[in-house]
């Protein structure tokens, strides 16, 4: 017999893979002797089994559930389904990695008319009767929503009607009779929608609820969240069944959430909210405004002291900031959840540094504690201080997730997505957000909500994504349907500019200028620790002095990819480039190239100066030439005139350059093979720039690295390399200087990877161009794959975009093999990667493991890659 079900007393904190995060921590708190209602966890293996068995819970698992249920009935002295002394339970999902708001919880399960009547018979006061029916109506609502996909909102409408009929505003103003009426209305609504009665048998309720949790692992929201956060589908979720404790019992009861440190700033202080006479998600749903946890100190001092003591013990035990959920039933405290709390990047760094200073963790552990991707939010613009001072604050909400956002107002997640897809910066303004909004939230610069506290859905998810969020701005009058809102007497319509400050909660009714971020304070200290563990070097992809300077500030150790084609698109340069393309003779072509030379050399000089002696790999011209020619009729006429050729002639040239498959066409080193003078010109620009800057700053000792793209055959590399060396050697000799330079290649065509041993006889370095290598290995174009990859995700054929995460199985095998073959031919060959993957943490780890020398990524991902490389090195050491 395989064990699928564990009592909390049978598990512990290290069993997260089997019991999920929530279940493992409930077990751990149980072991620590904390007040946890004693229930059981159905393992993630049961979830996997459920899917293997065609979405069925088999008899073995069912039997174990009933057995566990019998055991917790004994422990709790109550009986499931019993009318006199009933056990009510919550059914809670809990995956290995926390997925906030993704899976739903059902509370008060086990209620039906008989059980309700039985409970009331034992304590027939109006207050208790109200409590029973309040719990019952909540149960119907949650069960219908989670199990039967009958939206919670349709029940809210009924509540609103009952409140309106009575002339009251708050749920708390509804009495026992109203609650009973709600139960009847809810059941009728259920029957009308579902065509059958609400299930009364508690055993059926329980099994259906467990199934629903398993099912929710595969719902579209969960799938999107997993893809965004690299959580494998195969993990599955566990289910926790736990006896209910009631925060909605009376005014000596309540429910709340708290963090041991401020999740926005990292400040060491208990931080949280609670609501008296409330249940479950009332706190985060924004139904009533919760009280600050410090107020509990006045309201229930003993409970508060006990809670502070537990919180401190939990933090010391886990040696990390804890996010806890608790309920007070009739003056007695119960712990319902603890986990390492989600936090903003700034808080993550402060907490990591503080924990080191407090002697709780080592530097190495601190480096492992911060999610590389999270740093992203610190690297993006902040408001310009002067512009911010000048701007008028038109409203204020809660500072829910820090950062600065400036964008145009949109009112729905769909609009946020479509505006962002058109290159617009948007701020998503909502009454409140819900899990369906997740993609729209990811597409927005910032999120502004009318309702909801610091632990509302919007706040939690925004902090997780590193997106700026201001929540709970009640001053806003919202007209979501009509797409406008009113604030401080002014209407804001879709498309209007606003700015929000997630660090202060301030709202500005205009666009406020933003400035670049810098690395200082905790960030700087932390990154230095990371660098001390790192083996892999981190370079950047940059092709202008501004990006170079930015990357150097972020810690880049050089440029791994300088694309030279971008330098040709400026008006004066593109003209010369076009002259070169339409030239009919070699002389005319050389003449045109000679015009480009000074620009190109100037660019390289400026970048060498910014690099201050750090190395730079310069890639020669790569794209197909047609990209430099016009496509529109009116442009063709104008440009023909400019180039002194006839329209017909220019059209002929354009037609002759047309390719069915330009990505596999006349590009890369193929250009240099047909037009060696392009390689000559580029070599001249690089070598002369290096000689010149070396003269200005002798200690830089620049050694140019020239990279030939799109090589698939050693002889073609040799052909181009000969052109380069002939030119370079001559220039160096003419200048009378001593300067070394190297010539290497990109490995981006599968054939190059397969023949890397031969290619290494000529190439002095390899740089894996994993964008093209992925494209050519999969045989689909990165520009078109988006159209069909979604179906691949839906069918779980691929779990993530191979252009975002290196496909380690296929493309990675080519990289590994080519690295080994390259080293066999040339032991000290330098190996790097310069695709977009260079800034993706999982791909960086792969690069570390196959022993590359460096990764190169866009400037804003340099700190992310530095941290990912440090973590890869630490992880390898620990194995
Ligand atoms: P989530 O993963 O979305 O946080 P939870 O399973 O933690 O969902 O449940 C949400 C809330 O429901 C909890 O914070 C708690 O307030 C309430 N809850 C869950 N189980 C119980 C229980 N056994 N007794 C009382 N309240 C519960
Ligand atoms: Mg939930
Ligand atoms: Mg929870």
């Amino acid at each position: 017999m395989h064990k699928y079900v564990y009592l909390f007393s049978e598990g512990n904190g290290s069993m997260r893979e089997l019991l999920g995060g929530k279940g493992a921590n409930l077990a751990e708190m149980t072991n620590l002797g904390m007040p946890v209602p004693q229930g059981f966890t159905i393992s993630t293996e049961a979830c996997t089994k459920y899917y293997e068995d065609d979405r069925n819970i088999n008899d073995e698992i069912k039997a174990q559930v009933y057995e566990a249920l019998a055991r917790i009935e004994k422990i709790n002295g109550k009986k499931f389904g019993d009318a006199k002394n009933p056990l009510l339970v919550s059914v809670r999902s809990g995956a290995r990695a926390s997925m906030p708001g993704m899976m739903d919880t059902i509370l008060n399960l086990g209620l039906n008319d008989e059980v309700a009547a039985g409970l009331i018979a034992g304590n027939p006061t109006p207050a208790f009767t109200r409590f029973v029916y309040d719990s019952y109506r909540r149960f119907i609502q949650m069960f219908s929503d989670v199990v039967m996909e009958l939206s919670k909102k349709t029940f809210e409408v009924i509540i609103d009607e009952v409140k309106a009929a009575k002339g009251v505003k708050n749920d708390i103003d509804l009495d026992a009779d109203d609650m009973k009426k709600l139960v009847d209305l809810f059941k009728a609504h259920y029957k009308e929608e579902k065509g059958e009665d609400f299930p009364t048998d508690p055993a059926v309720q329980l099994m259906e609820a467990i199934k629903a949790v398993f099912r929710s692992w595969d719902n579209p929201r969960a799938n999107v969240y997993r893809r965004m956060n690299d959580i494998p589908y195969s993990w599955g979720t566990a289910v926790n069944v736990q006896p209910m404790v009631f925060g909605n019992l009376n005014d000596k009861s309540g429910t709340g959430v708290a963090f041991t440190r401020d999740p926005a700033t990292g400040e060491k202080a208990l931080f949280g909210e609670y609501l008296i006479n409330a249940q479950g998600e009332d706190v985060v749903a924004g139904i009533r405004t919760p009280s600050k946890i410090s107020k509990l100190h006045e309201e229930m001092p003993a409970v508060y002291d006990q809670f502070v003591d537990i919180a401190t013990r939990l933090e010391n035990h886990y040696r990390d900031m804890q996010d806890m959920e608790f309920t007070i039933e009739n003056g007695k405290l119960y712990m319902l959840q603890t986990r390492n709390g989600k936090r903003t990047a700034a808080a993550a760094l402060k907490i990591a540094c503080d924990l080191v200073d407090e002697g709780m963790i080592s530097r190495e552990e601190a480096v492992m504690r911060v999610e590389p991707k999270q740093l992203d939010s610190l690297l993006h613009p902040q408001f310009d201080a002067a512009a911010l001072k000048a701007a008028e604050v038109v409203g204020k909400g809660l500072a829910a997730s820090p950062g600065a956002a400036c964008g145009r107002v949109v009112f729905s997640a769909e609009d946020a997505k479509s505006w962002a897809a058109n290159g617009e910066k948007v701020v998503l303004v909502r009454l409140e957000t819900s899990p369906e909004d997740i993609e729209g939230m990811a597409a927005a610069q910032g999120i502004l909500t009318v309702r909801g506290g610091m632990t509302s859905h919007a706040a939690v998810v925004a902090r997780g994504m590193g997106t700026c969020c201001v929540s709970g701005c009640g001053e806003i009058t919202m007209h979501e349907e009509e797409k406008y809102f009113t604030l401080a007497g002014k209407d804001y319509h879709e498309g209007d500019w606003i700015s929000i400050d997630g660090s202060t909660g301030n709202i500005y009714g205009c666009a406020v200028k933003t400035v670049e971020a810098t690395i200082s304070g905790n960030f700087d200290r932390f990154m230095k620790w990371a660098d001390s563990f790192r083996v892999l070097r981190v370079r950047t992809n940059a092709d202008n002095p501004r990006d170079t300077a930015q990357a150097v500030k972020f810690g880049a150790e050089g440029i791994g990819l300088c694309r030279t084609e971008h330098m040709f698109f400026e008006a004066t340069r593109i003209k010369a480039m076009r002259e070169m393309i339409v030239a009919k003779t070699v002389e005319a072509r050389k003449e045109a190239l000679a015009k480009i030379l000074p620009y190109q050399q100037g660019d390289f000089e400026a970048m060498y100066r910014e690099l201050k002696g750090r190395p730079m790999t310069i890639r020669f011209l790569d794209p197909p030439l047609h990209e430099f020619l016009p496509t529109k009729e009116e442009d063709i006429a104008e440009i023909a005139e400019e180039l002194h050729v006839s329209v017909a002639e220019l059209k002929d040239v354009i037609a002759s350059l047309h390719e069915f498959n330009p990505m596999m066409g006349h590009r890369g080193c193929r250009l240099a093979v047909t037009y060696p003078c392009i390689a000559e010109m580029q070599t001249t620009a690089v070598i002369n720039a290096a000689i010149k800057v070396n003269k200005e700053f002798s200690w830089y000792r620049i050694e140019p690295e020239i990279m030939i793209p799109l090589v698939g055959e050693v002889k073609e590399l040799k052909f181009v390399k000969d052109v380069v060396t002939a030119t370079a050697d001559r220039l160096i000799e003419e200048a009378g200087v001593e300067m070394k330079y190297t010539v290497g290649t990109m490995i981006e065509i599968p054939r190059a990877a397969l023949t890397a041993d031969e290619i290494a006889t000529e190439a002095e370095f390899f740089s894996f161009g994993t964008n093209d290598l992925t494209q050519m290995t999969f045989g689909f174009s990165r520009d078109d794959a988006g159209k069909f990859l979604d179906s691949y995700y839906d069918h779980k054929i691929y779990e993530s975009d191979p252009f975002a995460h290196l496909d380690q199985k296929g493309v990675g095998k080519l990289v590994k093999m080519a690295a080994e073959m390259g080293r066999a031919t040339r032991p000290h060959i330098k190996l790097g990667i310069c695709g977009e993957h260079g800034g993706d943490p999982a791909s960086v780890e792969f690069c570390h493991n196959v022993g590359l020398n460096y990764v190169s990524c866009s400037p804003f991902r340099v700190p992310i890659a530095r941290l990912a490389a440090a973590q890869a090195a630490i992880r390898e050491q620990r194995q």
Side-chain angles (χ1 to χ4, degrees), residues 66 69 80-81 109-110 112 200-210:
Y66 291 130
L69 191 63
F80 195 56
L109 187 140
N112 56 33
T200 51
D201 180 351
V204 172
Q205 294 173 350
L206 180 62
M207 275 308 153
E208 287 305 313
I210 293 169

Side-chain angles (χ1 to χ4, degrees), residues 22 90 92 105 107 242-245 255 280-281 325 336-337:
K22 199 179 286 170
S90 63
R92 318 170 64 188
T105 297
L107 304 179
Q242 188 176 29
M244 285 301 300
V245 284
T255 180
E281 315 239 276
E325 297 175 7
L336 295 173
Q337 190 170 345

